[in-house]
Amino acid sequence: MATPDFIRALRVSAGHQLLWLPGVTAIVFDDGGRVLLGRRSDTGRWSAIGGIPDPGEQPAACAVREVFEETAVRCVPERVVLVQALAPVTYANEDVCQYMDITFRCRAVGGEARVNDDESLEVGWFAVDALPDLHEFARFRIKQALAEAPTWFEPTAIG
């Protein structure tokens, strides 16, 4: 994932300390029920499409933008399927970030899937019963996007 300019500017004063950031994941389905995935250039692994909203950008608009920027596919968000605070991540340069992920189920409405930026090595459509090797992060989000359940969130203990 390319680092947005506003985060680079924050890092000038914040150094490597933890930044709490919004994140958006888009689980995009075509009319045949296939899911759109990208093979990331930074890890070489297949993953769901996602990114960081620009300041003031609505999460759903970010999902649409990220899908188009990375895959050339146009999509429409249909619903929020998951909201989850993720564990902190320490990058190779020692920057630490923690993301609040909002995952959207999206429907493809145009474009032809192709690598559209330098963040992906490949992009493609996959049948949900024939997914490539994916982290549990993406598998869980695909499962939730397929479910007709309410938005998933981490249960909270009351006490």
Side-chain angles (χ1 to χ4, degrees), residues 99-143:
Y99 299 94
M100 172 64 72
D101 180 57
I102 303 168
T103 298
F104 290 89
R105 177 189 168 108
C106 300
R107 178 175 39 88
V109 295
E112 188 169 325
R114 63 178 170 81
V115 173
N116 204 34
D117 65 10
D118 60 359
E119 294 182 39
S120 300
L121 299 172
E122 297 177 73
V123 298
W125 294 102
F126 293 87
V128 294
D129 61 354
L131 296 172
D133 182 33
L134 291 172
H135 281 287
E136 181 57 27
F137 176 92
R139 286 191 180 280
F140 184 67
R141 281 154 175 74
I142 292 167
K143 176 183 166 193

Side-chain angles (χ1 to χ4, degrees), residues 5-155:
D5 291 338
F6 80 93
I7 293 176
R8 277 196 276 276
L10 277 173
R11 286 288 178 205
V12 171
S13 61
H16 298 297
Q17 73 178 313
L18 177 99
L19 292 181
W20 173 247
L21 299 168
V24 170
T25 302
I27 304 298
V28 183
F29 293 100
D30 68 5
D31 290 337
R34 299 177 303 168
V35 65
L36 181 64
L37 300 173
R39 194 162 69 84
R40 297 172 57 104
S41 59
D42 59 350
T43 65
R45 303 242 1 223
W46 287 97
S47 182
I49 309 302
I52 299 170
D54 293 327
E57 183 179 32
Q58 293 296 324
C62 175
V64 170
R65 176 180 55 79
E66 288 288 344
V67 169
F68 183 76
E69 284 179 359
E70 295 181 24
T71 71
V73 170
R74 299 220 179 262
C75 70
V76 174
E78 296 180 321
R79 64 184 172 93
V80 173
V81 298
L82 178 148
V83 177
Q84 183 181 33
L86 304 177
V89 176
T90 302
Y91 292 98
N93 67 355
E94 299 183 14
D95 286 351
V96 182
C97 295
Q98 187 169 9
Y99 299 94
M100 172 64 72
D101 180 57
I102 303 168
T103 298
F104 290 89
R105 177 189 168 108
C106 300
R107 178 175 39 88
V109 295
E112 188 169 325
R114 63 178 170 81
V115 173
N116 204 34
D117 65 10
D118 60 359
E119 294 182 39
S120 300
L121 299 172
E122 297 177 73
V123 298
W125 294 102
F126 293 87
V128 294
D129 61 354
L131 296 172
D133 182 33
L134 291 172
H135 281 287
E136 181 57 27
F137 176 92
R139 286 191 180 280
F140 184 67
R141 281 154 175 74
I142 292 167
K143 176 183 166 193
Q144 291 305 120
L146 290 167
E148 292 301 324
T151 301
W152 183 91
F153 54 90
E154 191 75 36

